Amino acid sequence: MAQWILKHFVSGDSENVSPKDRSRVGTAASIVGIIANIALCLMKGLVGLMVGSVSIVADAVNNLSDASSNIISFLGFKLASRPADDKHPYGHGRYEYLSGLVVATLVSAIGIELVLTSVDKIVHPQPTDFGIPVIVVLVLSIFIKLWLAHFNRALGRAISSTTLEATAVDARNDVISTAGVLVAAALSDATGFDLDGWAGVVIGAFVIFSGLSLIRDTLNPLLGQAPDPALVKHIHDTIMSYPGVLGTHDLMVHDYGPGRLVASAHVEMAAEENPMESHDTIDNIEEHFRQEGLIVILHYDPIVTNDESVKTMRGWIAEAILSIDSRLTIHDLRTVPGPTHTNVIFDVVRPHDLPLDDDELRDAISKIVTTRYPNAICKITVDSSYVSAV
């Protein structure tokens, strides 16, 4: 069914799904989840009340919460597909991340409620009548949830949706929890010792752990996590593949929702070349990315290439500062000679976990530079890296 939905609801390239198609796929997946979870809730709830099983009733409530999560996902995809407006020029794509966060929070809340209900069953035990109806409903639930987990995972990966992948994980958790209820029912029937409450505690703890993990995963894009290293490498390699490009740095990638990435970078080109030709090259690179569905804004950095002394200095400093930390890099180096000293101006990119603060780093680099260039006065701007190293 996942392939049928992708075939009929994705109109363009499956590698670059449009926001409109994402909304259609997400909406279809949410409707399927709502129908399946409400049906499971009704079946389990009736059977659980009939046999007096707190774990089965809790599992039914869990399915009801899953249906609520699907409704939230449905609303999230609908809101995320809204076009940009004056107040939100980058669109509303982050609604999808917010809906995923709400789903993850509901998963955690249901886990807590399941633990509390199960503890109450342990403290105040009540007889549980396990029989054929229980087994049939639980086995059917396991197969339906296995299918839902595969269904949502396939669609989530196809459209890169954290919401659908979170829903797939939730369905997998339901398989484990329902299997636990089934095992507890079988053992209780065989031994005569009611394990219903204990099974609920274990399952609830697992659901809480999974919910907290999902919260962490859905919070990351909202907090501004580093972009995918594969994307960073692709942007870097694409820029460097154009003739006349000497280097690139200061790459920043902003995520405004799935399929809504905006990036910027500096491109180093020879200062001696015709600036109109260099500008045309940069325009061509930006258009290349635009054809891929990625907005990249490039800044032109002219680099002096016909002064051998500057080239030698740039290469020596770049190599020498590796003695401080092997991850340090420099860019935009230029010199301003004077009668008594030479100002050496450049930027250095520092790792976030470098033990030196910015002033200590400047001092350390300046000391290294003056060992070879005693008349140099370093004017250093310390930059932070916003992406993974290429």
Side-chain angles (χ1 to χ4, degrees):
M1 187 172 183
Q3 292 303 318
W4 184 89
I5 289 176
L6 291 172
K7 180 179 178 181
H8 288 81
F9 290 169
V10 177
S11 56
D13 182 9
S14 60
E15 295 295 322
N16 295 294
V17 182
S18 69
K20 181 178 179 181
D21 288 345
R22 286 178 58 80
S23 176
R24 293 169 50 166
V25 171
T27 299
S30 299
I31 292 173
V32 170
I34 292 169
I35 295 172
N37 281 304
I38 289 178
L40 287 173
C41 174
L42 293 175
M43 287 191 300
K44 289 182 186 177
L46 289 174
V47 172
L49 291 173
M50 287 171 55
V51 302
S53 170
V54 65
S55 60
I56 296 178
V57 172
D59 213 20
V61 175
N62 187 26
N63 291 138
L64 182 60
S65 78
D66 292 340
S68 301
S69 299
N70 293 138
I71 293 172
I72 293 171
S73 299
F74 174 86
L75 294 174
F77 280 110
K78 283 295 184 182
L79 291 171
S81 65
R82 292 167 58 188
D85 55 37
D86 291 342
K87 293 184 177 180
H88 307 92
Y90 298 101
H92 299 79
R94 284 179 176 169
Y95 269 122
E96 186 176 336
Y97 296 149
L98 288 172
S99 67
L101 179 60
V102 174
V103 170
T105 304
L106 281 176
V107 171
S108 302
I110 290 299
I112 294 172
E113 180 62 27
L114 180 54
V115 169
L116 294 176
T117 305
S118 301
V119 169
D120 183 68
K121 178 68 180 290
I122 295 172
V123 176
H124 305 97
Q126 295 176 355
T128 305
D129 180 20
F130 295 111
I132 297 299
V134 172
I135 296 174
V136 171
V137 168
L138 294 181
V139 170
L140 179 62
S141 174
I142 288 173
F143 279 108
I144 292 176
K145 281 295 185 174
L146 277 173
W147 179 81
L148 281 175
H150 172 75
F151 171 73
N152 284 291
R153 185 181 299 109
L155 292 180
R157 290 177 176 174
I159 66 173
S160 300
S161 170
T162 55
T163 298
L164 290 183
E165 294 203 33
T167 303
V169 172
D170 190 26
R172 182 208 64 188
N173 292 346
D174 290 342
V175 171
I176 296 172
S177 64
T178 303
V181 173
L182 183 60
V183 170
L187 290 175
S188 298
D189 189 58
T191 64
F193 182 75
D194 194 349
L195 297 173
D196 191 41
W198 295 101
V201 170
V202 174
I203 294 164
F206 176 75
V207 172
I208 292 171
F209 174 79
S210 298
L212 293 177
S213 298
L214 288 173
I215 289 175
R216 178 199 62 203
D217 293 340
T218 52
L219 269 178
N220 281 336
L222 290 172
L223 294 176
Q225 68 180 354
D228 183 354
L231 174 65
V232 173
K233 186 176 188 304
H234 171 68
I235 294 175
H236 175 273
D237 292 349
T238 300
I239 294 174
M240 294 300 299
S241 68
Y242 276 75
V245 174
L246 303 176
T248 179
H249 56 85
D250 284 352
L251 173 62
M252 301 176 71
V253 181
H254 300 281
D255 186 346
Y256 293 100
R260 298 170 176 83
L261 295 179
V262 177
S264 62
H266 289 217
V267 178
E268 298 175 351
M269 306 186 76
E272 300 78 29
E273 296 296 328
N274 187 321
M276 297 301 294
E277 293 180 1
S278 297
H279 190 274
D280 183 65
T281 299
I282 288 176
D283 283 345
N284 292 336
I285 301 173
E286 290 178 338
E287 180 59 28
H288 178 112
F289 285 119
R290 192 173 293 109
Q291 293 297 323
E292 297 180 348
L294 179 63
I295 298 176
V296 179
I297 302 167
L298 300 178
H299 173 77
Y300 166 48
D301 276 350
I303 301 296
V304 175
T305 61
N306 59 2
D307 188 329
E308 288 301 323
S309 63
V310 174
K311 290 175 60 177
T312 301
M313 176 184 287
R314 182 186 302 115
W316 183 86
I317 293 176
E319 185 71 25
I321 63 172
L322 299 181
S323 61
I324 300 174
D325 190 292
S326 60
R327 298 168 293 174
L328 291 174
T329 60
I330 66 168
H331 57 83
D332 287 346
L333 186 144
R334 62 189 187 278
T335 62
V336 182
T340 60
H341 65 274
T342 297
N343 286 332
V344 181
I345 307 166
F346 59 92
D347 294 2
V348 60
V349 181
R350 57 163 296 159
H352 292 290
D353 59 350
L354 191 71
L356 304 176
D357 63 28
D358 289 357
D359 289 335
E360 291 171 337
L361 179 59
R362 292 188 187 94
D363 290 341
I365 294 175
S366 295
K367 290 177 181 178
I368 291 175
V369 172
T370 54
T371 60
R372 175 158 178 173
Y373 301 97
N375 294 328
I377 295 180
C378 294
K379 306 290 185 179
I380 305 171
T381 299
V382 178
D383 288 342
S384 293
S385 176
Y386 296 100
V387 299
S388 305
V390 178

